[in-house]
Amino acid sequence: MCYAIPGRVENLEGKIAIIDYFGEQKKAYNEIDKLKIGDYVYAQGGYVIERLSKEKALSTLQVWKETFFELQEKDLLLSKMQFENKNLDKRLLRILDKVSQNLSVSQEDYLDLLKRNNPNELNLIYKTANFIRHKNFGNACCVHGIIELSNQCARNCQYCGISVYNENLVRYKMLEEEILETAEMAIKTYGFKALVLQSGQDAYSVDELFKIIKKIKEKFAVLIFISVGEIGKPGLEKLYEAGARGVLLRFETSNSILFEKMHPGYKLETRVQELKNAYKMGYLILTGGLIGLPGQTEEDILNDIFLAKSLNAEMFSFGPFVPHPKTPLGKAISPTSQFMMKVLAVARFIDQDMAKILITTAFETIDKTAREEGLLSGANSVMLNVTPKEYKEQYTIYPNRAYLNKPVLEQIQETISLLQNIGRSPTDLGLGESSYDIEALK
Ligand code: SAH
Protein backbone atom coordinates (compact mmCIF):
# COMPACT_ATOMS: atom_id res chain seq x y z
CA MET A 1 0.00 0.00 0.00
CA CYS A 2 1.28 3.44 -0.74
CA TYR A 3 0.22 6.74 0.77
CA ALA A 4 1.25 10.01 -0.79
CA ILE A 5 1.66 11.01 2.79
CA PRO A 6 5.19 11.45 4.05
CA GLY A 7 6.37 8.53 6.14
CA ARG A 8 9.28 8.28 8.57
CA VAL A 9 12.00 5.72 7.93
CA GLU A 10 11.95 3.48 10.98
CA ASN A 11 14.44 0.92 9.85
CA LEU A 12 16.65 -0.06 6.92
CA GLU A 13 17.34 -3.65 5.98
CA GLY A 14 19.63 -3.50 2.95
CA LYS A 15 17.59 -1.94 0.16
CA ILE A 16 14.34 -2.27 2.09
CA ALA A 17 13.08 0.67 4.11
CA ILE A 18 10.47 0.21 6.82
CA ILE A 19 8.31 3.32 6.82
CA ASP A 20 5.89 4.46 9.48
CA TYR A 21 2.60 6.19 8.64
CA PHE A 22 0.77 7.18 11.81
CA GLY A 23 1.66 3.87 13.43
CA GLU A 24 1.12 1.69 10.32
CA GLN A 25 4.38 0.25 9.00
CA LYS A 26 4.99 -0.41 5.31
CA LYS A 27 7.97 -1.73 3.38
CA ALA A 28 9.41 -0.01 0.32
CA TYR A 29 12.41 -0.61 -1.93
CA ASN A 30 14.93 2.19 -1.58
CA GLU A 31 16.94 3.62 -4.46
CA ILE A 32 17.83 6.91 -2.77
CA ASP A 33 21.44 7.56 -1.83
CA LYS A 34 22.40 7.71 1.85
CA LEU A 35 18.91 7.26 3.21
CA LYS A 36 18.97 7.18 7.02
CA ILE A 37 16.70 6.08 9.81
CA GLY A 38 14.62 9.09 10.83
CA ASP A 39 14.46 10.57 7.30
CA TYR A 40 11.04 11.48 5.92
CA VAL A 41 10.14 10.10 2.49
CA TYR A 42 7.40 9.66 -0.05
CA ALA A 43 6.98 6.08 -1.24
CA GLN A 44 4.94 4.89 -4.23
CA GLY A 45 4.07 1.43 -5.48
CA GLY A 46 6.60 -0.07 -3.09
CA TYR A 47 9.45 2.30 -4.07
CA VAL A 48 10.92 5.14 -2.03
CA ILE A 49 10.82 7.96 -4.55
CA GLU A 50 11.67 11.12 -2.64
CA ARG A 51 13.27 12.33 0.58
CA LEU A 52 11.83 15.51 2.02
CA SER A 53 12.86 17.84 4.78
CA LYS A 54 11.62 17.22 8.30
CA GLU A 55 9.90 20.64 8.36
CA LYS A 56 8.01 20.00 5.14
CA ALA A 57 7.07 16.49 6.23
CA LEU A 58 5.81 17.58 9.64
CA SER A 59 3.70 20.39 8.24
CA THR A 60 2.11 18.01 5.68
CA LEU A 61 1.55 15.40 8.35
CA GLN A 62 -0.14 17.99 10.55
CA VAL A 63 -2.71 18.56 7.78
CA TRP A 64 -3.21 14.84 7.30
CA LYS A 65 -3.33 13.80 10.92
CA GLU A 66 -7.02 14.05 11.82
CA THR A 67 -8.22 13.46 8.29
CA PHE A 68 -6.32 10.20 8.08
CA PHE A 69 -8.23 8.59 10.94
CA GLU A 70 -11.58 10.16 10.03
CA LEU A 71 -11.37 8.71 6.54
CA GLN A 72 -10.47 5.29 7.87
CA GLU A 73 -13.47 5.39 10.17
CA LYS A 74 -15.81 6.31 7.31
CA ASP A 75 -14.42 3.55 5.11
CA LEU A 76 -14.85 1.02 7.90
CA LEU A 77 -18.53 1.91 8.26
CA LEU A 78 -19.16 1.68 4.51
CA SER A 79 -17.42 -1.65 4.14
CA LYS A 80 -19.26 -3.60 6.84
CA MET A 81 -20.98 -6.75 5.65
CA GLN A 82 -24.75 -6.79 6.13
CA PHE A 83 -26.72 -9.97 5.71
CA GLU A 84 -30.04 -8.63 6.98
CA ASN A 85 -32.01 -9.89 3.97
CA LYS A 86 -32.93 -13.42 5.00
CA ASN A 87 -34.56 -14.37 1.70
CA LEU A 88 -31.38 -14.50 -0.29
CA ASP A 89 -30.56 -17.53 -2.36
CA LYS A 90 -28.69 -20.15 -0.32
CA ARG A 91 -26.22 -20.97 -3.07
CA LEU A 92 -25.22 -17.31 -3.35
CA LEU A 93 -24.71 -17.08 0.40
CA ARG A 94 -22.60 -20.24 0.36
CA ILE A 95 -20.38 -18.86 -2.39
CA LEU A 96 -19.97 -15.47 -0.71
CA ASP A 97 -19.25 -17.15 2.58
CA LYS A 98 -16.39 -19.08 0.98
CA VAL A 99 -15.20 -15.95 -0.80
CA SER A 100 -15.14 -13.87 2.36
CA GLN A 101 -13.03 -16.50 4.12
CA ASN A 102 -10.74 -16.69 1.10
CA LEU A 103 -11.47 -20.41 0.70
CA SER A 104 -11.17 -22.07 -2.67
CA VAL A 105 -14.09 -21.29 -5.01
CA SER A 106 -14.81 -23.25 -8.19
CA GLN A 107 -14.92 -21.81 -11.70
CA GLU A 108 -18.60 -22.77 -11.75
CA ASP A 109 -19.30 -20.69 -8.65
CA TYR A 110 -17.55 -17.64 -10.10
CA LEU A 111 -19.58 -18.08 -13.29
CA ASP A 112 -22.71 -18.25 -11.17
CA LEU A 113 -21.83 -14.83 -9.72
CA LEU A 114 -21.21 -13.32 -13.15
CA LYS A 115 -24.61 -14.56 -14.33
CA ARG A 116 -26.71 -13.13 -11.48
CA ASN A 117 -28.94 -10.12 -12.19
CA ASN A 118 -31.19 -9.76 -9.16
CA PRO A 119 -30.48 -6.30 -7.64
CA ASN A 120 -30.46 -7.54 -4.03
CA GLU A 121 -28.06 -10.32 -4.91
CA LEU A 122 -25.82 -7.97 -6.88
CA ASN A 123 -25.79 -5.58 -3.99
CA LEU A 124 -24.52 -8.31 -1.71
CA ILE A 125 -21.86 -9.34 -4.22
CA TYR A 126 -20.61 -5.73 -4.42
CA LYS A 127 -20.67 -5.33 -0.63
CA THR A 128 -18.65 -8.50 -0.18
CA ALA A 129 -16.07 -7.21 -2.66
CA ASN A 130 -15.92 -3.90 -0.81
CA PHE A 131 -15.46 -5.71 2.50
CA ILE A 132 -12.56 -7.76 1.07
CA ARG A 133 -10.96 -4.65 -0.42
CA HIS A 134 -11.15 -2.91 2.94
CA LYS A 135 -9.84 -5.92 4.85
CA ASN A 136 -6.75 -6.28 2.66
CA PHE A 137 -5.93 -2.78 1.46
CA GLY A 138 -7.39 -0.44 4.04
CA ASN A 139 -8.69 2.85 2.74
CA ALA A 140 -5.87 3.71 0.32
CA CYS A 141 -6.87 4.65 -3.21
CA CYS A 142 -4.16 5.04 -5.83
CA VAL A 143 -4.44 8.11 -8.02
CA HIS A 144 -2.01 7.93 -10.94
CA GLY A 145 -1.65 10.46 -13.75
CA ILE A 146 -1.46 9.47 -17.40
CA ILE A 147 0.09 11.40 -20.29
CA GLU A 148 -0.92 10.28 -23.77
CA LEU A 149 2.29 11.05 -25.59
CA SER A 150 1.29 10.18 -29.14
CA ASN A 151 -1.64 8.70 -31.07
CA GLN A 152 0.65 7.39 -33.80
CA CYS A 153 0.29 3.63 -33.97
CA ALA A 154 1.58 0.84 -36.18
CA ARG A 155 -0.93 -1.82 -35.10
CA ASN A 156 -4.21 -3.12 -36.45
CA CYS A 157 -6.16 -3.81 -33.24
CA GLN A 158 -9.69 -4.30 -34.54
CA TYR A 159 -11.34 -2.32 -31.73
CA CYS A 160 -8.99 0.63 -31.35
CA GLY A 161 -9.69 4.11 -32.68
CA ILE A 162 -6.01 5.02 -32.98
CA SER A 163 -5.15 1.86 -34.93
CA VAL A 164 -4.14 2.01 -38.59
CA TYR A 165 -7.82 1.67 -39.55
CA ASN A 166 -8.62 5.24 -38.55
CA GLU A 167 -7.10 6.81 -41.65
CA ASN A 168 -8.49 10.32 -41.17
CA LEU A 169 -7.34 10.83 -37.61
CA VAL A 170 -4.96 13.76 -37.16
CA ARG A 171 -1.85 12.16 -35.69
CA TYR A 172 0.36 13.88 -33.12
CA LYS A 173 3.59 13.10 -31.37
CA MET A 174 4.51 15.22 -28.38
CA LEU A 175 8.03 16.61 -28.47
CA GLU A 176 10.47 15.89 -25.69
CA GLU A 177 10.18 19.40 -24.25
CA GLU A 178 6.36 19.27 -24.33
CA ILE A 179 6.47 15.98 -22.44
CA LEU A 180 8.85 17.41 -19.87
CA GLU A 181 6.62 20.47 -19.39
CA THR A 182 3.53 18.28 -19.01
CA ALA A 183 5.32 16.01 -16.55
CA GLU A 184 6.54 19.03 -14.58
CA MET A 185 3.01 20.42 -14.36
CA ALA A 186 1.64 17.03 -13.27
CA ILE A 187 4.33 16.48 -10.64
CA LYS A 188 5.06 19.98 -9.36
CA THR A 189 1.75 21.75 -9.74
CA TYR A 190 -0.71 18.92 -9.27
CA GLY A 191 1.35 16.72 -6.96
CA PHE A 192 1.25 13.41 -8.85
CA LYS A 193 3.79 10.90 -7.59
CA ALA A 194 3.22 8.28 -10.29
CA LEU A 195 2.85 8.89 -14.02
CA VAL A 196 1.96 6.56 -16.88
CA LEU A 197 3.48 7.48 -20.26
CA GLN A 198 1.27 6.01 -22.98
CA SER A 199 1.39 5.98 -26.78
CA GLY A 200 0.50 3.88 -29.78
CA GLN A 201 2.87 1.09 -30.87
CA ASP A 202 6.21 2.35 -32.30
CA ALA A 203 5.30 6.03 -31.97
CA TYR A 204 8.72 6.58 -30.34
CA SER A 205 11.93 4.62 -30.67
CA VAL A 206 13.33 3.06 -27.50
CA ASP A 207 16.18 5.58 -27.70
CA GLU A 208 13.75 8.50 -27.73
CA LEU A 209 11.86 7.05 -24.77
CA PHE A 210 15.14 6.43 -22.94
CA LYS A 211 16.06 10.13 -23.20
CA ILE A 212 12.61 11.31 -22.15
CA ILE A 213 12.42 9.03 -19.11
CA LYS A 214 15.97 9.78 -18.05
CA LYS A 215 15.30 13.51 -18.16
CA ILE A 216 12.07 13.21 -16.18
CA LYS A 217 13.82 11.08 -13.57
CA GLU A 218 16.76 13.49 -13.34
CA LYS A 219 14.48 16.43 -12.72
CA PHE A 220 11.63 15.02 -10.64
CA ALA A 221 10.81 12.48 -7.95
CA VAL A 222 8.20 10.30 -9.60
CA LEU A 223 7.40 6.67 -10.32
CA ILE A 224 7.24 6.13 -14.09
CA PHE A 225 5.12 3.49 -15.83
CA ILE A 226 5.55 2.89 -19.54
CA SER A 227 2.60 1.96 -21.74
CA VAL A 228 3.94 2.08 -25.27
CA GLY A 229 3.04 -1.39 -26.51
CA GLU A 230 5.59 -4.15 -27.04
CA ILE A 231 9.26 -3.15 -27.01
CA GLY A 232 10.92 -6.51 -26.47
CA LYS A 233 13.40 -7.56 -23.80
CA PRO A 234 16.22 -5.17 -24.80
CA GLY A 235 13.73 -2.28 -24.92
CA LEU A 236 12.42 -3.11 -21.47
CA GLU A 237 15.97 -3.37 -20.12
CA LYS A 238 16.93 -0.03 -21.59
CA LEU A 239 13.89 1.80 -20.19
CA TYR A 240 14.43 0.22 -16.77
CA GLU A 241 17.95 1.63 -16.91
CA ALA A 242 16.44 5.04 -17.76
CA GLY A 243 14.39 4.81 -14.57
CA ALA A 244 10.99 3.38 -15.56
CA ARG A 245 9.71 1.03 -12.86
CA GLY A 246 6.28 -0.04 -14.10
CA VAL A 247 4.69 -1.38 -17.27
CA LEU A 248 1.05 -0.92 -18.22
CA LEU A 249 0.38 -3.44 -20.93
CA ARG A 250 -2.92 -5.23 -21.27
CA PHE A 251 -2.92 -8.71 -22.76
CA GLU A 252 -6.41 -7.66 -23.95
CA THR A 253 -7.85 -11.20 -23.92
CA SER A 254 -6.56 -14.49 -22.58
CA ASN A 255 -8.32 -16.42 -25.35
CA SER A 256 -5.58 -16.92 -27.95
CA ILE A 257 -8.03 -17.50 -30.82
CA LEU A 258 -9.97 -14.34 -30.00
CA PHE A 259 -6.64 -12.51 -29.56
CA GLU A 260 -5.60 -13.39 -33.10
CA LYS A 261 -8.97 -12.30 -34.46
CA MET A 262 -8.63 -8.97 -32.68
CA HIS A 263 -4.97 -8.51 -33.65
CA PRO A 264 -4.42 -10.18 -37.04
CA GLY A 265 -0.81 -11.30 -37.42
CA TYR A 266 0.02 -11.00 -33.70
CA LYS A 267 0.16 -13.54 -30.91
CA LEU A 268 -1.06 -13.55 -27.32
CA GLU A 269 2.06 -15.49 -26.38
CA THR A 270 4.35 -12.60 -27.36
CA ARG A 271 2.42 -10.13 -25.25
CA VAL A 272 2.30 -12.44 -22.24
CA GLN A 273 6.03 -13.11 -22.60
CA GLU A 274 6.67 -9.36 -22.60
CA LEU A 275 4.79 -9.07 -19.30
CA LYS A 276 6.73 -12.00 -17.82
CA ASN A 277 10.04 -10.47 -18.91
CA ALA A 278 9.07 -7.12 -17.43
CA TYR A 279 8.16 -8.72 -14.10
CA LYS A 280 11.46 -10.61 -13.96
CA MET A 281 13.36 -7.36 -14.52
CA GLY A 282 11.66 -5.81 -11.52
CA TYR A 283 8.94 -3.78 -13.19
CA LEU A 284 5.59 -3.35 -11.46
CA ILE A 285 2.95 -4.92 -13.68
CA LEU A 286 -0.34 -3.26 -14.60
CA THR A 287 -2.37 -5.48 -16.86
CA GLY A 288 -5.80 -6.77 -17.77
CA GLY A 289 -8.08 -6.92 -20.74
CA LEU A 290 -11.06 -5.67 -22.63
CA ILE A 291 -14.43 -6.80 -21.42
CA GLY A 292 -17.27 -7.32 -23.90
CA LEU A 293 -15.33 -8.05 -27.08
CA PRO A 294 -17.55 -9.70 -29.71
CA GLY A 295 -17.30 -13.47 -29.28
CA GLN A 296 -15.87 -13.29 -25.73
CA THR A 297 -17.53 -15.58 -23.19
CA GLU A 298 -17.87 -15.32 -19.42
CA GLU A 299 -15.38 -18.20 -19.13
CA ASP A 300 -12.92 -16.12 -21.16
CA ILE A 301 -13.33 -13.24 -18.73
CA LEU A 302 -12.68 -15.47 -15.73
CA ASN A 303 -9.57 -16.74 -17.49
CA ASP A 304 -8.54 -13.12 -18.07
CA ILE A 305 -8.68 -12.46 -14.34
CA PHE A 306 -6.72 -15.63 -13.58
CA LEU A 307 -4.12 -14.70 -16.18
CA ALA A 308 -3.70 -11.18 -14.76
CA LYS A 309 -3.22 -12.70 -11.31
CA SER A 310 -0.71 -15.26 -12.57
CA LEU A 311 1.31 -12.43 -14.12
CA ASN A 312 1.79 -10.96 -10.61
CA ALA A 313 -0.13 -7.82 -11.45
CA GLU A 314 0.36 -4.94 -9.04
CA MET A 315 -2.79 -3.50 -10.56
CA PHE A 316 -5.63 -4.91 -12.68
CA SER A 317 -6.84 -2.78 -15.54
CA PHE A 318 -10.02 -4.26 -16.96
CA GLY A 319 -12.20 -1.96 -19.00
CA PRO A 320 -15.25 -2.25 -21.20
CA PHE A 321 -14.88 -2.37 -24.96
CA VAL A 322 -16.44 0.80 -26.42
CA PRO A 323 -17.03 0.64 -30.21
CA HIS A 324 -15.32 3.21 -32.39
CA PRO A 325 -17.09 3.88 -35.72
CA LYS A 326 -13.84 4.03 -37.72
CA THR A 327 -12.80 0.50 -36.80
CA PRO A 328 -13.87 -2.93 -38.02
CA LEU A 329 -15.83 -3.38 -34.75
CA GLY A 330 -17.63 -0.06 -35.12
CA LYS A 331 -21.07 -1.66 -35.02
CA ALA A 332 -20.49 -3.95 -32.05
CA ILE A 333 -21.89 -3.06 -28.61
CA SER A 334 -20.42 -2.28 -25.18
CA PRO A 335 -21.06 -4.51 -22.18
CA THR A 336 -23.48 -3.14 -19.57
CA SER A 337 -22.19 -1.24 -16.61
CA GLN A 338 -23.77 -3.87 -14.36
CA PHE A 339 -21.75 -6.59 -16.03
CA MET A 340 -18.56 -4.55 -15.60
CA MET A 341 -19.32 -4.09 -11.92
CA LYS A 342 -19.70 -7.85 -11.49
CA VAL A 343 -16.36 -8.36 -13.23
CA LEU A 344 -14.69 -5.95 -10.78
CA ALA A 345 -16.21 -7.74 -7.80
CA VAL A 346 -15.21 -11.20 -9.07
CA ALA A 347 -11.70 -9.89 -9.82
CA ARG A 348 -11.50 -8.75 -6.18
CA PHE A 349 -12.65 -12.23 -5.05
CA ILE A 350 -10.06 -13.99 -7.19
CA ASP A 351 -7.17 -11.73 -6.19
CA GLN A 352 -7.98 -10.66 -2.67
CA ASP A 353 -4.82 -9.03 -1.45
CA MET A 354 -2.25 -8.46 -4.18
CA ALA A 355 -3.61 -6.41 -7.04
CA LYS A 356 -5.13 -2.99 -6.82
CA ILE A 357 -8.11 -2.68 -9.14
CA LEU A 358 -8.41 0.30 -11.45
CA ILE A 359 -11.64 1.99 -12.52
CA THR A 360 -10.84 2.78 -16.14
CA THR A 361 -11.95 5.88 -18.01
CA ALA A 362 -13.77 3.63 -20.49
CA PHE A 363 -15.89 2.36 -17.62
CA GLU A 364 -16.70 5.93 -16.63
CA THR A 365 -17.52 6.65 -20.28
CA ILE A 366 -20.26 4.02 -20.36
CA ASP A 367 -21.51 4.95 -16.87
CA LYS A 368 -21.09 8.32 -15.16
CA THR A 369 -21.37 6.83 -11.66
CA ALA A 370 -18.90 4.02 -12.32
CA ARG A 371 -16.09 5.58 -10.30
CA GLU A 372 -17.98 5.73 -7.03
CA GLU A 373 -19.84 2.45 -7.56
CA GLY A 374 -16.70 0.64 -8.69
CA LEU A 375 -14.72 1.89 -5.69
CA LEU A 376 -17.49 0.43 -3.53
CA SER A 377 -17.34 -2.91 -5.39
CA GLY A 378 -13.74 -3.91 -4.85
CA ALA A 379 -11.78 -1.31 -6.81
CA ASN A 380 -9.20 1.00 -5.25
CA SER A 381 -7.49 2.93 -7.98
CA VAL A 382 -8.20 5.68 -10.49
CA MET A 383 -6.16 7.33 -13.21
CA LEU A 384 -6.46 10.99 -14.12
CA ASN A 385 -5.61 12.26 -17.56
CA VAL A 386 -3.02 15.04 -17.60
CA THR A 387 -2.48 15.13 -21.38
CA PRO A 388 -2.63 18.67 -22.81
CA LYS A 389 -6.19 19.35 -24.02
CA GLU A 390 -5.36 19.72 -27.74
CA TYR A 391 -3.75 16.27 -27.80
CA LYS A 392 -6.20 14.54 -25.49
CA GLU A 393 -8.95 15.22 -28.06
CA GLN A 394 -6.96 13.34 -30.70
CA TYR A 395 -6.25 10.32 -28.53
CA THR A 396 -9.50 8.72 -29.62
CA ILE A 397 -9.06 5.06 -28.67
CA TYR A 398 -12.88 5.11 -28.37
CA PRO A 399 -15.38 7.97 -28.79
CA ASN A 400 -16.72 10.41 -26.17
CA ARG A 401 -14.13 9.68 -23.52
CA ALA A 402 -15.11 10.83 -20.05
CA TYR A 403 -13.40 13.99 -18.71
CA LEU A 404 -12.34 15.13 -22.20
CA ASN A 405 -13.24 18.74 -21.44
CA LYS A 406 -12.46 18.75 -17.77
CA PRO A 407 -9.32 20.62 -16.66
CA VAL A 408 -6.92 18.59 -14.53
CA LEU A 409 -7.49 20.70 -11.44
CA GLU A 410 -11.24 20.09 -11.61
CA GLN A 411 -10.67 16.38 -12.11
CA ILE A 412 -8.45 16.34 -9.02
CA GLN A 413 -10.92 18.29 -6.92
CA GLU A 414 -13.80 16.04 -7.93
CA THR A 415 -11.71 12.96 -7.18
CA ILE A 416 -10.65 14.24 -3.78
CA SER A 417 -14.21 15.10 -2.85
CA LEU A 418 -15.49 11.70 -4.03
CA LEU A 419 -12.78 9.93 -2.04
CA GLN A 420 -13.64 12.02 1.01
CA ASN A 421 -17.29 10.99 0.74
CA ILE A 422 -16.41 7.32 0.77
CA GLY A 423 -13.58 7.52 3.29
CA ARG A 424 -10.57 6.88 1.09
CA SER A 425 -7.11 8.41 1.30
CA PRO A 426 -5.79 9.48 -2.11
CA THR A 427 -2.41 7.95 -2.71
CA ASP A 428 0.10 8.69 -5.45
CA LEU A 429 -1.16 12.24 -5.28
CA GLY A 430 0.77 14.44 -2.92
CA LEU A 431 0.54 18.12 -2.24
CA GLY A 432 1.28 20.12 -5.35
CA GLU A 433 1.75 23.85 -5.62
CA SER A 434 -1.73 24.31 -7.10
CA SER A 435 -4.67 25.73 -5.23
CA TYR A 436 -6.25 22.38 -4.33
CA ASP A 437 -5.05 21.00 -1.08
CA ILE A 438 -5.65 18.21 1.35
CA GLU A 439 -7.42 20.69 3.67
CA ALA A 440 -10.35 20.16 1.30
CA LEU A 441 -10.65 16.69 2.75
CA LYS A 442 -11.72 18.03 6.14
N1 SAH B 1 0.13 0.91 -27.41
C1 SAH B 1 -0.20 0.67 -26.04
C2 SAH B 1 -1.41 1.43 -25.58
C3 SAH B 1 -2.67 1.04 -26.29
S1 SAH B 1 -4.07 2.03 -26.02
C4 SAH B 1 -0.39 -0.83 -25.86
O1 SAH B 1 -0.34 -1.56 -26.82
O2 SAH B 1 -0.54 -1.25 -24.72
C5 SAH B 1 -4.46 1.59 -24.37
C6 SAH B 1 -5.59 0.62 -24.18
O3 SAH B 1 -6.79 1.16 -24.71
C7 SAH B 1 -5.46 -0.70 -24.89
O4 SAH B 1 -4.69 -1.59 -24.14
C8 SAH B 1 -6.91 -1.17 -25.04
O5 SAH B 1 -7.25 -2.15 -24.10
C9 SAH B 1 -7.71 0.11 -24.79
N2 SAH B 1 -8.65 0.35 -25.92
C10 SAH B 1 -8.35 0.46 -27.21
N3 SAH B 1 -9.48 0.58 -27.94
C11 SAH B 1 -10.51 0.53 -27.09
C12 SAH B 1 -11.93 0.58 -27.25
N4 SAH B 1 -12.50 0.69 -28.43
N5 SAH B 1 -12.68 0.51 -26.13
C13 SAH B 1 -12.12 0.41 -24.91
N6 SAH B 1 -10.80 0.35 -24.71
C14 SAH B 1 -9.99 0.41 -25.79
Side-chain angles (χ1 to χ4, degrees), residues 345-356:
V346 170
R348 178 44 74 223
F349 297 159
I350 291 176
D351 189 326
Q352 301 215 344
D353 53 9
M354 293 297 292
K356 293 159 193 153

Side-chain angles (χ1 to χ4, degrees), residues 159-161 198-201 227-229 248-250 252 271 290 320-322 362 395 397-398:
Y159 44 81
C160 185
Q198 189 172 83
S199 75
Q201 176 77 37
S227 181
V228 295
L248 164 56
L249 182 78
R250 285 179 170 173
E252 314 292 0
R271 219 155 162 91
L290 280 167
F321 154 66
V322 185
Y395 200 78
I397 41 182
Y398 51 84

Side-chain angles (χ1 to χ4, degrees), residues 264-391:
Y266 296 98
K267 292 218 171 300
L268 173 64
E269 221 178 280
T270 317
R271 219 155 162 91
V272 167
Q273 193 55 50
E274 179 100 357
L275 285 158
K276 288 183 180 164
N277 291 343
Y279 180 71
K280 268 199 217 130
M281 284 176 212
Y283 279 104
L284 298 167
I285 302 298
L286 273 59
T287 192
L290 280 167
I291 306 297
L293 288 170
Q296 191 182 38
T297 64
E298 280 141 352
E299 283 85 347
D300 288 334
I301 293 166
L302 276 185
N303 290 335
D304 289 352
I305 302 172
F306 284 114
L307 176 58
K309 182 175 159 76
S310 76
L311 291 167
N312 303 294
E314 149 90 7
M315 190 185 287
F316 287 172
S317 166
F318 288 101
F321 154 66
V322 185
H324 189 296
K326 297 280 167 56
T327 63
L329 297 182
K331 294 210 161 54
I333 49 165
S334 295
T336 64
S337 162
Q338 181 178 293
F339 186 70
M340 278 307 300
M341 211 65 82
K342 286 188 279 186
V343 171
L344 290 186
V346 170
R348 178 44 74 223
F349 297 159
I350 291 176
D351 189 326
Q352 301 215 344
D353 53 9
M354 293 297 292
K356 293 159 193 153
I357 299 181
L358 177 70
I359 304 289
T360 60
T361 314
F363 193 178
E364 295 181 77
T365 301
I366 62 163
D367 178 1
K368 288 214 158 23
T369 56
R371 186 177 284 179
E372 175 160 0
E373 287 172 14
L375 289 172
L376 292 170
S377 310
N380 53 355
S381 192
V382 297
M383 224 175 249
L384 305 189
N385 195 326
V386 294
T387 310
K389 187 173 172 352
E390 67 272 28
Y391 296 135

